[in-house]
Each structure stands twice: as C-alpha cells, then as structure tokens.
Amino acid sequence: MADSRKGILAGLRILDFSRMLSGPYCTMMLADHGAEVIKIESPEGDTSRSNGPYRADDPAKEWAGYFVSLNRNKKSIVLDLKSDAAKAQIRALARDSHVVVENFRPGVMDRLGLGYESLARENPALVYAAISGFGDPRSGESPYVNWPSYDVVAQAMGGLMSMTGTGPGQPMKTGPGIGDIFTGMMMAFAILAAVRHAERTGRGQFVDIAMYDAMLSLCERLVYLYDMEGRIAEPAGNGHPLLAPFGIFPAADGWVSIGVVDDAFWRELAGIMQRQDLRDDPRLASKTGRRAHAEEVNAAVSDWTRRHSKAQLTQLLGGRLPFGPVNDAADIFSDQHVRARCMIADIAHPDPGKPGWRVAANPVHFTGVTAVDMTAPPRLGENNDILDQLAKNPTTAR
C-alpha cells in the first residue's frame, strides 16, 4: 500500500503494538512528522479507547479524548497476536517495516514468537523499540523485571515524587503523566538514532528504555546533590533548593513565576520593586548570598507580587527578567504565543458535519519540509485493507 505522507519522516514505517500513553506518545511524535504508524490492535482495541472523556455528541463512546490526542495521524489494523495466521501477517509486515514499538512487559513478545531476534532474522535492519517499567534483561536484568508499572509507579520509584510537593515529607505526583511521556519522548529520540545507524550499517538493533531509568535521568539533580553534598533532595514547594528568588509567587488574582539566576536580573527586579535597600544589600549581591538568605528574599518578593494582578506583573516584569504568569487551560487557549506558534491543533472529524477536535500540537518545527496535515485517529481496524493487500502480494504491502 503506497503511503503519500509528507513530513521529514515520510517513508519511515513503524509497527506500533503499544497501548495507553508511553508508546503511543512516542509514535505520535513520529507520526506527526510523517512516519507511517500502523497500530496493531487486539479486537478490543487500545485500552485508551475506553478511558474517556467523551463528548455529548458521541453516545456510542467511539472517540475518547485520551485516544484522539495520542493517536492522530496513525492507522489501525486488528490482529489477534495469539493466532498463528496473525503472527504470519505480522512477520510479513515486519519484513517491510523499519521499526517495531511495543510496551508490554519483557518477554511477552518473545513468548509469542514475535520478539526482536525472531523478527530480525528476516529483517536484519529492523529497529525494535521496547518500553517497560523496569527494562529488558537484554540491557541488564532488574530485580523488578516482572513488576507491572504505570506512570505513578515510575514517578515514585524514579525520584520525581520525592522531589515534588509542598514541603519536606510531603511527596506529590505531577499533573501530567511524566513517567510515560518523558519515556516516550526519549524513545522517539532513540528510535531515530537507531534508524540512522541502520541506514549506515544495514544493521538494526534492540532499543530498551525503562520508565524507572527515564525518571532517574529526569531527576538528575537528586544524584549530584547526594553525591557532592550527601543531601537527599526533598520537596521544595514552589521554591528552588539552590536559587532565590526562583519559583512561584502570589499575585492578587493568581500566581506568577519568577526565575532569577544572574545577579543582573536580581538588580533589575529589586529596582522594579523600588527596593533600593535590597539592591544595595551586599549579602544579596550574589547567587550564593541570596541562597543563604532565601527565606528573606522570597518573602520580600512575595510581599510585593501579591499587591499586583497577574496582568500588572506581566506589564512590569515581562521581557525584563525571566517571568511568566501561571496559566490554566483557559489562559493557554487565549494566549497570543499559543496562537502564533499554532500550538493548539485542529483535527477534522472523519464524519462529515461533525465538529472536530482540538489537541496539543507537536512542539517540534522544521522549516525545510512541508508539515504533515493533521488527520483523525483511526477507527478500530480502519486500515485492515493493508492485510488484504499483504495477502495478495507480500512484497508490496506498502
């Protein structure tokens, strides 16, 4: 089946066995830039199809927001992985693909006879990408290798929760599914690196990322703090353990962020606050001094910011030092930056006359290629014609 996609990754075919968030986010990043992503789904479909939310005009609950957001620009075929006939079809598809992505627990695909070594015997250039909670034994066998994992587990074990919260002893998970999303982002990078290597050498490889490992790499600060100072990073609320003022500060109608690192920015802020005493205080002239007196510095800034609205603070501080209002969804939808950067994408509904959807756009922009037109996520099994064409001529499935 010929694929006429545009985009910088046009011509890259990916078989996507992944479900929920980490793998689908990874393949979404690639599909948004032109890769042909074929979701291999069970007859029940990706779990996220039933996760909601649903619109009032979708009584059949066919279009979950969770699924729509992550699976735009993809195709879907339905196969029962336990069927010998389906396994033969998958092997034929893999011979004509560049990448396989899955996020089952380690060993699942091997037991099905569809693991990396088996598929690579017929396609030596195949890149096989596996996401799991604790990694694959091929890269180092974790004592937790057989534990199931979701985002909340990765955030907890990888250190993110221990560093996040309102204060010491009060760990908190982040709002977005960072354990899944960051792992998926890293895998998208890893896939392209492995594809580049395969193009040069003709040899693919097994690419393995554990969610635990991805979270640890994200929380790099906790490693060097413990190594260099013997200090265990704890939740710092809305502040920063090394810098002041740096964090979230109250406004009369919400919150704003201020991040002062350079001493020049501190002098600028103190001047805007009309606090010459703070600007001239030798104790606060350096990052080290402000860190030592962080409570005093943050209190002074908070006392000043809470007397102004977010709009007033934007007028006073915007563009003069690192500053930004704390935005909610309504703020983001109306923000001029979001409009200028086209960061809310429109997806047309596949049914004529029905309103489409708005989703977070892909943040990566290229100037040298035509952007991909955003297409609707696939209905379950919508592209099973790929299998029909495969049966007719296995060598021209694209």
Side-chain angles (χ1 to χ4, degrees):
M1 180 179 178
D3 189 68
S4 58
R5 285 176 175 269
K6 299 176 289 187
I8 202 165
L9 296 180
L12 184 70
R13 171 177 267 196
I14 299 170
L15 298 185
D16 183 6
F17 294 85
S18 67
R19 305 155 299 161
M20 290 295 285
L21 182 50
S22 61
Y25 191 92
C26 166
T27 54
M28 178 202 79
M29 294 292 291
L30 304 174
D32 282 353
H33 291 292
E36 180 191 15
V37 175
I38 303 173
K39 287 181 68 71
I40 312 295
E41 299 190 72
S42 71
E44 296 76 31
D46 186 331
T47 312
S48 67
R49 287 184 182 271
S50 60
N51 278 7
Y54 302 98
R55 288 198 320 216
D57 65 352
D58 182 20
K61 295 186 176 180
E62 189 176 15
W63 302 106
Y66 195 135
F67 184 84
V68 168
S69 178
L70 294 170
N71 292 285
R72 71 274 187 117
N73 298 324
K74 300 180 185 179
K75 300 176 179 179
S76 169
I77 62 177
V78 172
L79 289 170
D80 180 357
L81 299 188
K82 295 179 182 179
S83 158
D84 289 339
K87 290 177 184 178
Q89 290 172 309
I90 289 168
R91 301 184 76 85
L93 286 168
R95 284 195 294 270
D96 198 33
S97 298
H98 303 94
V99 182
V100 163
V101 179
E102 53 105 335
N103 62 351
F104 299 113
R105 273 189 263 181
V108 169
M109 291 290 275
D110 297 299
R111 290 191 292 273
L112 291 169
L114 299 171
Y116 166 64
E117 288 79 9
S118 177
L119 297 180
R121 278 196 292 271
E122 300 178 50
N123 181 359
L126 183 69
V127 172
Y128 189 109
I131 295 172
S132 60
F134 303 99
D136 189 277
R138 293 172 177 86
S139 304
E141 187 160 359
S142 166
Y144 317 122
V145 63
N146 293 316
W147 289 19
S149 181
Y150 281 121
D151 164 76
V152 68
V153 176
Q155 287 196 36
M157 296 186 72
L160 185 61
M161 285 188 189
S162 73
M163 301 173 67
T164 307
T166 56
Q170 301 177 58
M172 185 178 295
K173 72 177 287 294
T174 62
I178 296 296
D180 283 307
I181 290 173
F182 186 69
T183 306
M185 290 171 59
M186 295 189 80
M187 183 57 89
F189 154 76
I191 286 170
L192 295 181
V195 167
R196 177 74 180 101
H197 178 267
E199 289 173 344
R200 291 201 316 269
T201 67
R203 296 191 306 275
Q205 57 192 290
F206 185 87
V207 184
D208 168 36
I209 298 182
M211 293 167 67
Y212 187 149
D213 299 350
M215 285 297 89
L216 180 55
S217 72
L218 179 68
C219 299
E220 43 80 39
R221 186 199 304 160
L222 76 82
V223 175
Y224 69 72
L225 283 177
Y226 190 71
D227 176 59
M228 300 182 71
E229 297 184 352
R231 179 151 59 105
I232 293 177
E234 294 184 312
N238 287 323
H240 192 287
L242 303 176
L243 301 166
F246 196 104
I248 309 302
F249 297 87
D253 58 351
W255 300 84
V256 297
S257 64
I258 296 173
V260 170
V261 178
D262 296 341
D263 297 336
F265 283 137
W266 168 245
R267 293 191 295 271
E268 181 78 5
L269 175 59
I272 295 169
M273 293 168 56
Q274 298 182 351
R275 288 292 304 271
Q276 195 68 28
D277 57 322
L278 296 177
R279 182 170 181 167
D280 295 341
D281 191 333
R283 299 175 306 143
L284 310 180
S286 68
K287 287 184 289 187
T288 304
R290 291 190 296 278
R291 176 187 178 186
H293 299 89
E295 186 174 347
E296 176 185 348
V297 168
N298 289 330
V301 174
S302 294
D303 287 344
W304 178 75
T305 57
R306 66 166 47 96
R307 297 196 299 269
H308 301 81
S309 68
K310 290 166 62 175
Q312 290 170 330
L313 291 168
T314 299
Q315 286 293 113
L316 290 165
L317 302 177
R320 299 181 66 178
L321 56 117
F323 160 86
V326 175
N327 289 334
D328 61 19
D331 297 324
I332 288 169
F333 267 72
S334 62
D335 190 85
Q336 295 179 13
H337 167 93
V338 175
R339 287 198 295 271
R341 301 283 295 177
C342 302
M343 276 307 300
I344 301 295
D346 293 305
I347 300 177
H349 200 289
D351 295 338
K354 283 196 173 182
W357 304 280
R358 290 180 292 180
V359 298
N362 196 297
V364 182
H365 301 273
F366 299 98
T367 60
V369 292
T370 303
V372 173
D373 296 326
M374 194 74 73
T375 60
R379 286 187 163 92
L380 183 61
E382 180 178 326
N383 305 103
N384 276 7
D385 61 316
I386 292 174
L387 301 177
D388 297 335
Q389 295 190 35
L390 183 68
K392 294 176 183 176
N393 191 339
T395 62
T396 59
R398 289 191 193 181

